[in-house]
Amino acid sequence: MYYWLNLLLQFFLSYISTICFGILLHIPVKAYNIAGIIGGGSWVIYWIMYYQQGVGLSFSNLAAAVLIAICSRFAAQHKKMPTIVFEVPALVPFVPGGQAYKMVRNFAIGNYHLVTFYFYQVVVIVGAITLGFGLGELLNRIIHYRRWRSVKRTR
């Protein structure tokens, strides 16, 4: 029972943060709900993988970024909008702002061993997100190409 309530809370909070960032970016109002669902759903997948299943930090962020890229493409086709409208707000929960703050703070006070630890985390998260978006776009192109090719053959 507690697990499901925590999962629902994780989804709700990331849904709200995604929509709030979408408001800051002035995305169209009709994109708020879908962007929130993409952000919340990908955060839940990340949270389950990293905190519940013990999958590593990089692979959890990679899987979430691939999910964001794929879902954003389908949402963009459905709503007839650019994919960036859905990708950027959904990415917000994954930005390693906390680790970057801790890195700079420890650098200022002279804890250099913690600086390297947090710097490593920032680089891993940013790299995994970048690679995940690239892989997601590659998968989207493969899916789109297969659909296009099957339609072309039936004509």
Side-chain angles (χ1 to χ4, degrees):
M1 174 77 173
Y2 172 74
Y3 174 76
W4 294 106
L5 286 175
N6 194 5
L7 203 60
L8 187 62
L9 179 68
Q10 293 288 329
F11 176 81
F12 179 72
L13 292 176
S14 59
Y15 175 87
I16 295 297
S17 69
T18 301
I19 290 177
C20 289
F21 199 75
I23 291 170
L24 288 174
L25 292 176
H26 300 291
I27 67 171
V29 174
K30 65 181 184 175
Y32 287 169
N33 193 36
I34 293 179
I37 290 171
I38 293 170
S42 59
W43 177 259
V44 166
I45 297 300
Y46 163 78
W47 189 80
I48 289 172
M49 289 177 71
Y50 186 65
Y51 291 106
Q52 299 298 317
Q53 302 298 320
V55 177
L57 182 67
S58 59
F59 191 73
S60 301
N61 278 287
L62 177 76
V66 168
L67 183 64
I68 289 172
I70 291 172
C71 292
S72 294
R73 172 73 181 255
F74 286 113
Q77 287 176 343
H78 176 69
K79 290 288 188 177
K80 295 181 178 41
M81 295 180 182
T83 57
I84 195 106
V85 168
F86 302 101
E87 286 177 341
V88 173
L91 177 69
V92 168
F94 300 99
V95 173
Q99 287 92 340
Y101 167 76
K102 290 175 186 174
M103 179 185 68
V104 172
R105 181 178 177 272
N106 283 302
F107 182 77
I109 61 177
N111 291 336
Y112 298 115
H113 63 285
L114 288 176
V115 170
T116 56
F117 174 74
Y118 288 120
F119 179 73
Y120 171 76
Q121 281 190 341
V122 168
V123 169
V124 165
I125 292 170
V126 169
I129 290 171
T130 305
L131 183 62
F133 272 14
L135 287 175
E137 183 60 29
L138 179 67
L139 290 173
N140 282 329
R141 288 181 184 231
I142 289 170
I143 292 167
H144 183 71
Y145 176 75
R146 286 187 178 208
R147 282 187 187 169
W148 174 78
R149 191 168 176 182
S150 67
V151 168
K152 187 177 176 183
R153 283 184 182 174
T154 59
R155 290 184 182 176

